[in-house]
């Protein structure tokens, strides 16, 4: 496995795309999309505050779990669970050095992982939203110290270090009821986002993009046949993922009556 420094990775992808002929624009975002007879019209807001309207034969939704573009075009997102990730980045010091391994540990109310990233260490605590409450962002330090107090492998000394950054984000398994239409398609987490316990998120997204690019090279339009082909692929992807998820969560049996683990005893399609 590899530890990916996401900011560097994203910059490298941007540079690679621009170097291979893509018209890459930094700081831009799509603010409106609408279907047309031969494609879609898209309104793009630049970092200077101005907007430009462009027309595209095919629009690709790579907006992640929000699947903003697909939902604007009529797709509906289904959530399999309410898993959230509470991540904190701790500044390392000479006295408390990060372990050079990725540690994944189950705890009574969820699970956590610890990963070294250069001069900092990231600890991520995953649980269900309702098991934490609506004010999760107000007191992240207390949440980490209380909920992770019974870990056996993650170094509790790290939790006493200064927090460089902290965030709360959705992390559950979810998918679109349809991941393509006549002039659009969703890739990566926008189409299907999985519980990070199964790993491989970035690799899966890249494989996803490569597969869909090959489909479009064979058929430059998204007709009924290609839509059915993509739908079958998504169903197979989801079924396989949920089967693996059921296996991984089923491997933990210490807390069968705890809400988090009880909910996952029957995780599956």
């Amino acid at each position: 496995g590899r530890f990916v420094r996401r900011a560097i990775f994203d910059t490298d992808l941007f540079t690679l795309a621009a170097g291979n002929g893509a018209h890459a624009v930094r700081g831009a975002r799509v603010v409106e999309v609408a279907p047309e007879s031969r494609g879609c019209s898209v309104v793009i807001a630049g970092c200077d505050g101005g907007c430009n309207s462009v027309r595209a034969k095919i629009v690709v939704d790579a907006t992640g779990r929000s699947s903003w573009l697909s939902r604007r075009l009529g797709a509906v997102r289904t959530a399999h669970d309410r898993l959230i990730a509470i991540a904190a980045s701790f500044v390392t010091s000479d006295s408390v050095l990060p372990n050079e391994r990725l540690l994944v540990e189950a705890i009574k109310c969820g699970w956590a992982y610890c990963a070294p990233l250069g001069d900092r260490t990231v600890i991520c605590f995953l649980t269900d939203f309702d098991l934490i409450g609506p004010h999760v962002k107000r007191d992240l330090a207390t949440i980490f110290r209380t909920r992770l107090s019974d870990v056996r492998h993650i170094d509790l000394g790290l939790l006493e270090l200064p927090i460089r950054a902290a965030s709360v984000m959705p992390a559950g398994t979810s998918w679109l009821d349809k991941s393509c239409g006549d002039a659009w398609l969703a890739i990566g987490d926008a189409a299907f986002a999985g519980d990070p316990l199964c790993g491989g998120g970035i690799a899966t997204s890249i494989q996803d993009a490569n597969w869909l690019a090959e489909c479009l090279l064979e058929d430059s339009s998204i007709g009924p046949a290609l839509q059915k082909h993509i739908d079958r692929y998504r169903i197979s992807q989801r079924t396989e993922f949920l089967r693996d998820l059921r296996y991984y969560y089923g491997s933990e049996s210490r807390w069968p009556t705890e809400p988090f683990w009880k909910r996952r005893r029957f995780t599956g399609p």
Side-chain angles (χ1 to χ4, degrees):
R2 295 288 186 271
F3 293 116
V4 178
R5 298 190 182 186
R6 188 59 186 269
I8 297 174
F9 179 75
D10 289 348
T11 298
D12 288 346
L13 284 181
F14 182 93
T15 303
L16 184 63
N20 281 274
H23 179 60
V25 182
R26 292 186 184 275
R29 60 190 179 90
V30 176
V31 295
E32 189 56 74
V33 60
E36 293 188 342
S37 58
R38 295 184 179 180
C40 289
S41 64
V42 180
V43 178
I44 301 174
C47 56
D48 59 356
C51 292
N52 293 307
S53 181
V54 298
R55 288 177 171 80
K57 184 178 179 181
I58 296 174
V59 176
V60 176
D61 183 357
T63 59
R65 290 174 180 269
S66 73
S67 52
W68 180 89
L69 190 146
S70 299
R71 291 187 296 107
R72 295 285 289 188
L73 293 171
V76 177
R77 196 161 191 96
T78 297
H80 183 66
D81 53 58
R82 301 188 70 193
L83 188 72
I84 60 170
I86 307 170
S89 174
F90 295 87
V91 180
T92 57
S93 68
D94 293 337
S95 59
V96 183
L97 296 176
N99 198 308
E100 291 302 322
R101 298 176 296 170
L102 170 67
L103 295 177
V104 179
E105 183 169 356
I107 55 179
K108 186 182 294 186
C109 56
W111 59 280
Y113 71 81
C114 177
L117 290 175
D119 63 344
R120 59 193 175 97
T121 296
V122 172
I123 297 179
C124 193
F125 166 49
L126 295 101
T127 188
D128 289 335
F129 177 79
D130 63 308
L131 300 181
I132 293 294
H135 306 302
V136 58
K137 295 183 180 181
R138 295 184 183 178
D139 200 0
L140 289 178
T142 299
I143 289 175
F144 268 85
R145 291 189 178 97
T146 56
R147 301 304 178 103
L148 300 182
S149 61
D150 58 346
V151 295
R152 298 175 57 190
H153 303 288
I154 294 174
D155 186 356
L156 285 174
L158 292 169
L159 301 180
E160 303 302 322
L161 296 174
I163 296 178
R164 176 182 291 182
S167 60
V168 181
M169 65 203 82
T173 300
S174 61
W175 56 84
L176 293 174
D177 63 334
K178 58 178 181 178
S179 59
C180 62
D182 292 338
W184 65 274
L185 58 84
I187 65 170
D189 284 353
F192 177 85
D195 185 320
L197 183 62
C198 291
I202 292 178
T204 299
S205 293
I206 292 175
Q207 293 169 358
D208 203 32
N210 285 336
W211 181 79
L212 289 169
E214 292 174 358
C215 289
L216 291 176
L217 287 174
E218 295 178 6
D219 187 349
S220 59
S221 63
I222 308 178
L226 181 54
Q227 290 184 37
K228 289 181 180 179
H229 185 45
I230 293 174
D231 286 344
R232 287 194 295 268
Y233 167 75
R234 292 300 179 200
I235 292 172
S236 175
Q237 178 189 45
R238 182 168 71 242
T239 301
E240 181 177 350
F241 184 91
L242 291 175
R243 183 189 65 225
D244 291 343
L245 192 64
R246 180 173 61 242
Y247 170 78
Y248 289 131
Y249 276 116
S251 299
E252 177 54 72
S253 59
R254 287 175 289 177
W255 306 288
T257 61
E258 289 295 323
F260 181 86
W261 296 101
K262 187 175 181 180
R263 293 169 182 175
R264 285 157 176 80
R265 287 178 62 187
F266 305 105
T267 300

